[in-house]
């Protein structure tokens, strides 16, 4: 029988799982597939986070903690060991070129902003940028695609100027994977970290501002203002992180490279559809 705290926690997770269910059903993924992934997550965490003296938890303890059979635990651990569940989220050549255009000193102007580049003809041209950071994508194709998504503009002399800092993946599934890996995963990991520490100086930043007093007629205006301000704060952190990237060029010889993310988002819920009271 579940105690009151467990019931409250499970109720909160029901709220979280509803939008996840919407996403999964949108892509034709049912409960059976989700159940397998959920089992994998439980077994993986129980195996790695609850070992004794640094050793992985044995199958029997994992079975006790997760409620799965030892046979099922072994099957899932074998699958994890084989790398079958590993997911690598890679940035697209489009995003990489834009990122480096903002980060690499040779492609910046004197004020530290992305320089206007000629298409070709010198060592700091758009062609040079694409050849260094665009993989095997031809410079002409990269220019066409960046113009199509509205990230750059071309003047009458053929020079190229950045007008958007980033682009989202073109495919819905690519966008979903990037959002889950770069937004949902860091946020949930921060929540998990903060409930596992009782030291205030070891807590990670986790803040949300909210109100329930906005009239329907004012929602579009608040949405627009929120969007603009969130873009500003996100770009300020992007500048900070790019400064670190410039100071610490990739060095395969060292493993002292830590991943840090800062996420911001906007959310609104239609009247009458609230899952809980703020």
């Amino acid at each position: 029988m579940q105690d009151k705290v467990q019931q409250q926690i499970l109720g909160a997770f029901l709220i979280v799982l509803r939008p996840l269910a919407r996403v999964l059903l949108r892509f034709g993924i049912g409960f059976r597939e989700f159940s397998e992934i959920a089992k994998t997550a439980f077994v993986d965490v129980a195996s790695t986070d609850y070992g004794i003296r640094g050793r992985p938890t044995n199958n029997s303890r994992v079975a006790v903690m997760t409620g799965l059979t030892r046979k099922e635990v072994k099957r899932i651990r074998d699958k994890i060991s084989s790398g079958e569940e590993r997911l690598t989220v890679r940035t697209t050549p489009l995003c990489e070129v834009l990122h480096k255009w903002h980060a690499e000193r040779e492609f910046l102007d004197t004020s530290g902003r992305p320089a206007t580049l000629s298409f070709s003809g010198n060592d700091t041209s758009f062609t040079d940028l694409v050849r260094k950071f665009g993989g095997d994508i031809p410079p002409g194709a990269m220019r066409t695609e960046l113009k199509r998504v509205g990230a750059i503009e071309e003047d009458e002399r053929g020079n190229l100027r950045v007008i958007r800092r980033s682009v989202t993946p073109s495919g819905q599934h690519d966008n979903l994977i990037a959002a889950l890996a770069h937004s949902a995963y860091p946020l949930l990991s921060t929540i998990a970290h903060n409930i596992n520490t009782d030291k205030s100086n070891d807590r990670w930043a986790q803040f949300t501002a909210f109100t329930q007093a906005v009239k329907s007629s004012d929602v579009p205006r608040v949405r627009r203002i929120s969007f603009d301000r969130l873009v500003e704060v996100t770009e300020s952190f992007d500048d900070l992180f790019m400064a670190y990237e410039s100071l610490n060029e990739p060095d395969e010889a060292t493993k002292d490279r830590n991943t840090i993310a800062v996420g911001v988002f906007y959310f609104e819920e239609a009247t009458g559809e609230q899952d809980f009271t703020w």
Side-chain angles (χ1 to χ4, degrees), residues 22 36 46 66 68 73 130 175 183 206 253 259:
R22 291 189 183 103
E36 178 69 8
T66 62
L68 299 170
V73 169
V130 175
N175 200 4
S183 298
Q206 178 194 333
T259 298

Side-chain angles (χ1 to χ4, degrees), residues 128-156:
D128 187 52
L129 172 70
V130 175
R131 285 175 177 168
K132 287 183 176 180
F133 306 111
D136 60 353
I137 306 298
M142 180 65 71
R143 175 181 59 184
T144 299
E145 188 61 14
L146 286 172
K147 288 171 65 177
R148 185 188 71 80
V149 299
I152 66 172
E153 63 180 9
E154 185 174 8
D155 64 22
E156 65 279 359

Side-chain angles (χ1 to χ4, degrees), residues 15-26 34 180 184 188:
I15 295 169
V16 173
L17 285 172
R18 281 178 180 144
L20 292 179
R22 291 189 183 103
V23 170
L24 292 169
L25 291 172
R26 169 68 180 79
F34 175 77
L180 291 173
L188 293 172

